[in-house]
Amino acid sequence: VGFNREFTINLAKYLPLPLWEIMTQAAQAATARGWQLYVVGGSVRDLLLAKQEGNKSPAMQDIDLVVDGFDQTADVGAGVELAKTLQPLYPESRLEIHGAFQTAALLWHKHPVLGSLWIDIATARTEFYPYPAANPEVEASSIRQDLYRRDFTINALAVRLTSNHAGEVLDFFGGAIDLKERKIRVLHPNSLIEDPTRIYRAVRFAVRLRFTIEAQTEAYIRYAINSGVYQRSLLAHKKAPALQTRLKTELKYILQAPYWERAIQLLASLGALQCLHPTLQLNQKLWWLLRLVDRWLRRFDRQDNLVHWLLRLEVLLLGLETSDRQSVAYNLQLPNDSLERLSHLETYQTKIESGLSEFEQVSQIVKLLQNYDLPTLILVALRSEHRPTRQTIWKYLTIWKQVKSPLNGNDLKTLGYPPGALYKEILEDLLAATLDGRVSDRLTAQTYLAQKYSL
Ligand code: ATP
């Protein structure tokens, strides 16, 4: 494996024309400074995969470029400087600079042809600054180093944009073979110890691309999990806030994807749920709950800003003891309403179950349940061992919650009731009477009012 000058891809053929033009401009700007420029990462993987399978080119919305160059006169990194040079050529794009030196991005919110487009431009990381950029050996070693920091061989391929070797694929770690054999493989044995989120990434790519995790990599995964390194780093929130955030991001990607079921199963079979907590296991009960919550998510879809991935994660955490659940949720920095739900779920459940067993009238049930938000009610329904509880909550959410009183404030005014604080009481009363079947339309509502409230 290494650099095989025979292996090339004709980007002009695969990239949409406007994107190809941007790449060409970027390459010219880099060449003018004596720098090398590469496309790296996910877009190279997706392009080569499309080429291999004879598919048309994939959607290209996130492009990662790496510049290899050093300019002693510049006070910023080459990536930042290149982005600054390019931006004025595309007035509709926005320039963002991250960190003091290393990366910049050009963003198009609404590119007329490409839709949203995000081009990251990073500077190849190397420990050997400064060096003459013209020296091809040093240059190759620095892009190699940059690629070596990446997660899997299929994500560590680069396509050169500059020089007369443009289109050349740089494959130092066997990524091309792994793409052919559809394998997810780490670059070195330490990779998963270095960055635990890579386990989740491995699973995500395996399931999404329909690849398998290569046997040695799987062994590294199991070894890393058994070594306890994840638990030490992941449970120690104060030490590793960035890690927690990245793990949450990976969980989010997995749990919001259409393939989440297969991904969770694969994570569980690798023992990787233990990265969240040593006692977390996908037993039959938990699996059943995860499947069941989907029914609720489908039914209530976007209501009350229901966040699908988050609710799935909350259900997954139902597999833990309350105190563990709380600490995992806190470490993952879940939003406040989610933390609160997960901490007080038992209390809410007890209150709801005892209320439901006591109340007979629908209006009483509605009054009780309207104190809780939709995700809380779904979690309580799922957790409840008591089938009627689940059925009542379902009925409340699908039917009773939507019921309206046949008369509103304006109607009361027309009927001659003097506006005032009493309106609220009357309207609540009317709604309760409607829910309980004592009132069914405007006429019965008026009769009900006439009997109870004098004008
Ligand atoms: P997607 O198609 O899901 O966006 P991607 O490969 O572009 O996939 P990103 O998460 O956008 O994934 O990451 C971009 C690139 O950065 C990856 O291709 C990989 O080379 C590198 N990378 C991302 N996360 C890690 C990580 N945890 N460890 C090492 N390299 C990473």
Side-chain angles (χ1 to χ4, degrees), residues 41-42 45 64 149-151 155 195 198 201 204 208:
R45 175 197 69 221
D64 290 314
R149 290 181 301 108
R150 291 167 189 270
D151 46 7
N155 287 341
D195 180 357
R198 289 178 186 157
R201 293 178 60 84
R204 179 156 68 86
R208 186 176 95 195

Side-chain angles (χ1 to χ4, degrees), residues 314 318 322 325-326 336-357 359 368-381 383-384 389 393:
E314 291 177 22
L318 293 185
T322 316
R325 190 195 305 151
Q326 258 173 293
N336 283 340
D337 61 320
S338 181
L339 289 181
E340 209 214 331
R341 241 185 330 270
L342 290 170
S343 314
H344 302 296
L345 201 58
E346 275 76 7
T347 319
Y348 298 154
Q349 180 162 2
T350 313
K351 277 196 188 145
I352 289 174
E353 285 183 338
S354 74
L356 293 186
S357 66
F359 298 146
L368 169 72
L369 296 184
Q370 71 192 6
N371 295 318
Y372 301 94
D373 62 13
L374 178 58
T376 304
L377 290 175
I378 296 180
L379 289 186
V380 169
R383 262 179 62 93
S384 181
T389 303
I393 293 178

Side-chain angles (χ1 to χ4, degrees), residues 12-31:
K13 182 176 152 199
Y14 281 90
L15 297 182
L17 186 60
L19 185 55
W20 169 241
E21 280 170 2
I22 299 171
M23 297 291 114
T24 309
Q25 290 285 358
Q28 279 170 8
T31 306

Side-chain angles (χ1 to χ4, degrees), residues 198-268:
R198 289 178 186 157
I199 286 197
Y200 282 65
R201 293 178 60 84
V203 166
R204 179 156 68 86
F205 288 121
V207 173
R208 186 176 95 195
L209 303 171
R210 294 185 180 274
F211 278 35
T212 51
I213 297 178
E214 175 273 329
Q216 182 65 61
T217 297
E218 182 177 333
Y220 292 145
I221 290 178
R222 291 185 191 279
Y223 173 81
I225 294 169
N226 291 334
S227 76
V229 62
Y230 296 97
Q231 278 131 43
R232 280 196 298 280
S233 52
L234 288 168
L235 292 176
H237 168 57
K238 287 197 182 65
K239 278 196 230 138
L243 189 59
Q244 302 286 351
T245 316
R246 285 191 296 123
L247 184 63
K248 180 171 67 179
T249 307
E250 288 302 330
L251 278 165
K252 174 179 168 184
Y253 285 150
I254 287 176
L255 291 170
Q256 74 189 7
Y259 50 75
W260 71 269
E261 291 190 16
R262 279 182 294 136
I264 289 291
Q265 279 178 324
L266 183 52
L267 281 173

Side-chain angles (χ1 to χ4, degrees), residues 77-354:
V80 173
E81 201 179 316
L82 188 63
K84 282 184 169 166
T85 313
L86 286 175
Q87 198 280 330
L89 303 179
Y90 303 99
E92 70 289 14
S93 73
R94 208 178 58 183
L95 173 68
E96 262 187 22
I97 296 177
H98 310 281
F101 292 97
Q102 292 296 351
T103 73
L106 286 180
L107 325 175
W108 282 256
H109 276 303
K110 286 193 186 124
H111 187 285
V113 181
L114 305 165
S116 92
L117 174 64
W118 182 304
I119 302 185
D120 259 310
I121 309 181
T123 310
R125 308 222 182 132
T126 164
E127 280 106 56
F128 304 117
Y129 283 133
Y131 59 81
N135 178 342
E137 264 169 46
V138 183
E139 171 257 307
S141 88
S142 80
I143 181 70
R144 188 183 193 281
Q145 271 183 43
D146 189 281
L147 295 170
Y148 190 62
R149 290 181 301 108
R150 291 167 189 270
D151 46 7
F152 309 113
T153 58
I154 57 164
N155 287 341
L157 291 157
V159 176
R160 192 193 294 275
L161 291 173
T162 37
S163 90
N164 46 3
H165 294 293
E168 171 185 52
V169 178
L170 276 70
D171 177 13
F172 296 105
F173 313 106
I177 295 177
D178 288 335
L179 270 183
K180 281 220 170 61
E181 294 181 352
R182 308 185 83 82
K183 295 262 190 279
I184 307 291
R185 183 195 309 267
V186 289
L187 274 66
H188 53 86
N190 233 3
S191 178
L192 300 156
I193 306 267
E194 251 171 45
D195 180 357
T197 61
R198 289 178 186 157
I199 286 197
Y200 282 65
R201 293 178 60 84
V203 166
R204 179 156 68 86
F205 288 121
V207 173
R208 186 176 95 195
L209 303 171
R210 294 185 180 274
F211 278 35
T212 51
I213 297 178
E214 175 273 329
Q216 182 65 61
T217 297
E218 182 177 333
Y220 292 145
I221 290 178
R222 291 185 191 279
Y223 173 81
I225 294 169
N226 291 334
S227 76
V229 62
Y230 296 97
Q231 278 131 43
R232 280 196 298 280
S233 52
L234 288 168
L235 292 176
H237 168 57
K238 287 197 182 65
K239 278 196 230 138
L243 189 59
Q244 302 286 351
T245 316
R246 285 191 296 123
L247 184 63
K248 180 171 67 179
T249 307
E250 288 302 330
L251 278 165
K252 174 179 168 184
Y253 285 150
I254 287 176
L255 291 170
Q256 74 189 7
Y259 50 75
W260 71 269
E261 291 190 16
R262 279 182 294 136
I264 289 291
Q265 279 178 324
L266 183 52
L267 281 173
S269 73
L270 290 167
L273 292 178
Q274 285 179 39
C275 297
L276 292 173
H277 193 274
T279 63
L280 186 58
Q281 280 191 358
L282 188 66
N283 54 26
Q284 248 185 342
K285 173 91 191 289
L286 193 54
W287 181 238
W288 180 78
L289 290 180
L290 281 166
R291 301 284 304 269
L292 190 59
V293 77
D294 250 33
R295 237 186 97 200
W296 293 71
L297 286 172
R298 273 200 300 278
R299 178 64 179 76
F300 302 107
D301 198 28
R302 307 256 161 246
Q303 272 180 40
D304 295 332
N305 299 324
L306 205 56
V307 184
H308 291 213
W309 74 268
L310 189 57
L311 195 60
R312 288 193 185 112
L313 179 56
E314 291 177 22
V315 173
L316 193 62
L317 300 184
L318 293 185
L320 295 173
E321 298 288 329
T322 316
S323 63
D324 295 336
R325 190 195 305 151
Q326 258 173 293
S327 60
V328 172
Y330 174 79
N331 282 346
L332 287 174
Q333 300 168 50
L334 299 191
N336 283 340
D337 61 320
S338 181
L339 289 181
E340 209 214 331
R341 241 185 330 270
L342 290 170
S343 314
H344 302 296
L345 201 58
E346 275 76 7
T347 319
Y348 298 154
Q349 180 162 2
T350 313
K351 277 196 188 145
I352 289 174
E353 285 183 338
S354 74

